[in-house]
Amino acid sequence: MNKDVLVFNFASGERTKQLSEYCFRRLNYENIVTIDDKSGFTDKFKKCAEIAVNSKYEVFIRTDADNLVFDGLNDLLEKFRNDNVDCAEGVGHEYFMNCFRGATPHIFSRKVFELLHKNNNLMPDVQKPENIFIGNLVSRGAIKEKTYKILTNLHEYEQFPSKVCNSIQN
């Protein structure tokens, strides 16, 4: 079912990188590209756009290496396809804050990455660039986005103390 989806996993020193990849493989996602380098989020996202437009895939999942996905992700993918949206997110459990909230992983249509690839300036270099980027595309009517009440992941579990401080600050 998930062989036609390309997963982008952003890593920056998380000790859960391999566990994150394993969780995806357990859900039958075979095509995983982990971007684990010193570049910032915005540059990683732009790399994704280039990879996406040069690929054969129509559906993409963008996540972070501190997200451990559950089978609700497959339910989210089904809703994404059935509702014909360009961006979908479910609900994640935030380990540190012990709460639930809308969160990555995000599921994107090819259209989202084509728009960014044509104009890299659409991705701002701000605190939460993905949220601003998607929000701007939605407000301009360029894409359709939806958040579903489907539990998709555990976020920020078993992180280094430096990551904990960064998470609290964010």
Side-chain angles (χ1 to χ4, degrees), residues 8-162:
F8 293 117
N9 195 13
F10 289 10
S12 58
E14 291 86 358
R15 65 173 97 186
T16 53
K17 179 178 82 171
Q18 289 179 324
L19 180 57
S20 175
E21 293 168 354
Y22 174 78
C23 290
F24 275 100
R25 286 192 301 276
R26 291 286 297 169
L27 294 176
N28 296 315
Y29 293 92
E30 297 177 359
N31 307 302
I32 304 167
V33 174
T34 297
I35 301 174
D36 187 6
D37 59 28
K38 301 285 185 205
S39 64
F41 181 91
T42 301
D43 290 332
K44 286 179 180 175
F45 209 96
K46 290 175 184 176
K47 283 181 198 176
C48 288
E50 184 173 347
I51 293 167
V53 298
N54 291 316
S55 77
K56 63 180 182 189
Y57 299 97
E58 296 295 322
V59 177
F60 305 88
I61 295 175
R62 212 290 307 155
T63 191
D64 296 310
D66 62 353
N67 281 330
L68 306 178
V69 294
F70 304 143
D71 59 0
L73 182 61
N74 290 333
D75 298 332
L76 180 65
L77 180 59
E78 184 178 336
K79 292 280 190 188
F80 170 86
R81 287 180 165 148
N82 289 341
D83 293 349
N84 198 29
V85 294
D86 298 298
C87 175
E89 71 176 4
V91 175
H93 184 265
E94 297 292 328
Y95 183 74
F96 297 136
M97 296 183 290
N98 193 25
C99 68
F100 296 90
R101 69 178 182 102
T104 54
H106 287 129
I107 301 177
F108 294 116
S109 69
R110 181 179 197 79
K111 180 179 183 181
V112 172
F113 286 114
E114 286 173 345
L115 289 167
L116 180 60
H117 190 258
K118 287 179 188 173
N119 183 357
N120 277 331
N121 293 326
L122 292 173
M123 177 61 69
D125 193 11
V126 297
Q127 182 71 17
K128 294 287 189 179
E130 190 171 24
N131 293 345
I132 302 297
F133 168 63
I134 295 302
N136 286 341
L137 292 179
V138 169
S139 68
R140 290 181 13 205
I143 66 167
K144 295 182 284 184
E145 182 269 340
K146 191 166 182 181
T147 298
Y148 298 87
K149 291 185 180 182
I150 300 172
L151 182 61
T152 61
N153 71 94
L154 173 63
H155 185 222
E156 297 177 332
Y157 177 75
E158 192 61 31
Q159 293 304 313
F160 291 111
S162 61

